[in-house]
Amino acid sequence: MMTTTAQKAQANDVVGQIIYALRTMGVAPIPRNYQLFYEAYIGSNTALTQDLAALGSRATQEELDALSAQYIGTGHAEVIERAHGKLLVELEGLLRLLRQEQRSMESYTKLLGETATRINSKANFSNDIIGNAIALLTTATTDTIAHGERTVDTVAEHSLEMDEVRKELDEYKRIANTDSLTRLSNRRAFDDKLTSLFDSAGNLPVTALVLADIDNFKKINDTYGHPVGDKILATVASVIRANVRKDLFVARTGGEEFAIIVEGNTAEEVMLICERIRCALETRSFRNSRSGVQYGPITISLGYSMGSQAEDAGHLYANADAALYHAKHSGRNRTVLFEEAMSRDYAGKNWLIYRN
């Protein structure tokens, strides 16, 4: 049996858990190692998780880098380094411009002061002196304005370059946060979104986390093979996306599990959303158009918890997962709202990031 406190302990901060795992395994806590462990521990790539575990407790950096190259690729590091280099160049250019502008304005201010002193001097009072002063100020002012306009144009150019870098990084983030198979958000994006829900406690009574899991999916993979399983995953994802509002956050969180974050709806309304998804899948035909083989019926179990039932993101996830566990063990192909009594029968995910 597991108490709510134990559930929350299992759902400790992911970052802290992964850093702890790195330290325990004697792995250097550098960014590329952290990303590798993150991808392995969230469970979205079973082969990566197994290969990392096979390295044992004293993996070398070369072995870890080989896994990263195989499962993650190195393009992400190149994108970040290139963007960082561009930003440094543009920022250094802006700093040079600002220093030049500062020196130009200091010279102009000094000239204004000296001219005012000459004009105010009774000993030097004459039409020639005033005329020369006006001519000098006119030239200096014109030069200063022209210099300022050139500075503004150059600042605009630097700003455009930095905006391009920002767009590049935004696109990289979008790709990095997207599941390549289903085109939904991935576990990384889900973790960020889930954590942000508790930034505003006032919205929690109308905020829900829904976890959904395809029923008997291992049997589908074992019977028809992983390529068919992947097609079914992609189809299920499209059905989920088509049956919820566009503003709802939908993610594939690992394997055959999906998550939906619903904001602005009561528990009863969330139940209706879940049932619409469930019924849409239950009645959909999963058939090979060439061979005529029927892969279905494909059903899905859903469990959800309202934000007001939890104290933090980890607690909310544990609640929704307990409800999903209850849906699975009470017959599958159903939607269950979390109730406190469900915590007693819920053993929690057996993922390393949720262990103490």
Side-chain angles (χ1 to χ4, degrees):
M1 299 296 180
M2 178 177 291
T3 65
T4 301
T5 301
Q7 284 181 20
K8 287 185 285 185
Q10 277 196 327
N12 274 336
D13 176 65
V14 173
V15 175
Q17 290 293 320
I18 291 179
I19 291 176
Y20 174 78
L22 290 170
R23 188 183 303 117
T24 301
M25 295 179 67
V27 174
I30 56 179
R32 66 179 187 270
N33 288 344
Y34 174 82
Q35 182 179 19
L36 178 66
F37 273 66
Y38 183 95
E39 296 293 341
Y41 282 16
I42 63 176
S44 60
N45 190 323
T46 305
L48 169 58
T49 305
Q50 292 173 346
D51 286 351
L52 182 60
L55 292 180
S57 61
R58 292 294 168 183
T60 65
Q61 189 60 56
E62 289 76 12
E63 290 172 328
L64 295 172
D65 288 343
L67 280 185
S68 294
Q70 179 181 353
Y71 290 104
I72 301 175
T74 57
H76 65 285
E78 294 173 359
V79 169
I80 298 298
E81 289 176 7
R82 184 169 64 252
H84 182 257
K86 286 183 180 178
L87 285 175
L88 280 180
V89 169
E90 300 303 329
L91 287 172
E92 287 172 359
L94 279 176
L95 285 174
R96 283 197 301 272
L97 278 175
L98 292 174
R99 292 191 191 102
Q100 292 170 4
E101 188 68 12
Q102 182 182 19
R103 287 194 293 270
S104 176
M105 291 305 298
E106 287 173 351
S107 299
Y108 183 61
T109 301
K110 182 179 179 182
L111 177 61
L112 287 177
E114 292 174 351
T115 304
T117 300
R118 290 179 186 176
I119 292 174
N120 288 330
S121 174
K122 292 180 180 180
N124 295 328
F125 189 82
S126 72
N127 288 334
D128 290 340
I129 290 176
I130 294 176
N132 291 336
I134 291 174
L136 181 63
L137 285 177
T138 299
T139 302
T141 301
T142 301
D143 290 344
T144 301
I145 291 174
H147 182 272
E149 289 175 346
R150 289 195 300 273
T151 300
V152 169
D153 289 341
T154 309
V155 167
E157 291 174 7
H158 284 293
S159 297
L160 285 174
E161 289 292 335
M162 287 193 289
D163 192 52
E164 288 300 317
V165 174
R166 179 191 61 78
K167 290 177 181 177
E168 184 178 352
L169 288 174
D170 285 347
E171 178 63 13
Y172 167 73
K173 182 179 180 181
R174 185 191 67 78
I175 295 172
N177 286 345
T178 300
D179 178 63
S180 59
L181 176 63
T182 63
R183 311 312 300 167
L184 299 176
S185 296
N186 61 15
R187 181 66 189 232
R188 181 190 295 106
F190 168 73
D191 286 343
D192 290 341
K193 178 66 175 178
L194 183 64
T195 302
S196 72
L197 296 181
F198 287 81
D199 293 341
S200 178
N203 296 327
L204 293 178
V206 288
T207 298
L209 169 62
V210 180
L211 295 182
D213 191 272
I214 301 175
D215 296 325
N216 300 310
F217 189 71
K218 184 179 185 299
K219 183 179 179 181
I220 295 171
N221 274 336
D222 291 345
T223 303
Y224 302 109
H226 286 277
V228 170
D230 286 349
K231 289 181 180 179
I232 289 175
L233 279 171
T235 302
V236 170
S238 67
V239 170
I240 293 174
R241 183 75 270 181
N243 282 276
V244 299
R245 299 194 316 267
K246 290 183 179 180
D247 63 308
L248 297 192
F249 179 91
V250 184
R252 180 190 177 202
T253 53
E256 64 272 25
E257 185 176 280
F258 301 86
I260 308 165
I261 293 176
V262 183
E263 297 180 83
N265 291 94
T266 64
E268 292 76 15
E269 291 168 339
V270 176
M271 175 63 76
L272 292 177
I273 293 171
C274 292
E275 282 297 284
R276 185 164 64 245
I277 295 169
R278 189 187 65 77
C279 291
L281 275 172
E282 184 182 38
T283 57
R284 185 183 180 95
S285 175
F286 286 81
R287 175 176 173 274
N288 187 310
S289 58
R290 293 183 179 179
S291 65
V293 174
Q294 287 282 356
Y295 301 128
I298 303 296
T299 61
I300 196 168
S301 298
L302 305 98
Y304 72 99
S305 172
M306 302 305 294
S308 54
Q309 295 178 289
E311 296 177 6
D312 54 36
H315 188 194
L316 178 59
Y317 186 92
N319 285 352
D321 203 42
L324 175 60
Y325 176 89
H326 189 82
K328 288 285 190 182
H329 286 263
S330 57
R332 298 185 177 88
N333 190 25
R334 63 193 62 208
T335 302
V336 172
L337 168 62
F338 172 77
E339 296 176 3
E340 198 62 42
M342 296 175 185
S343 301
R344 294 195 300 268
D345 301 320
Y346 170 67
K349 291 289 188 188
N350 190 30
W351 293 343
L352 290 177
I353 58 173
Y354 290 114
R355 292 181 184 172
N356 287 328

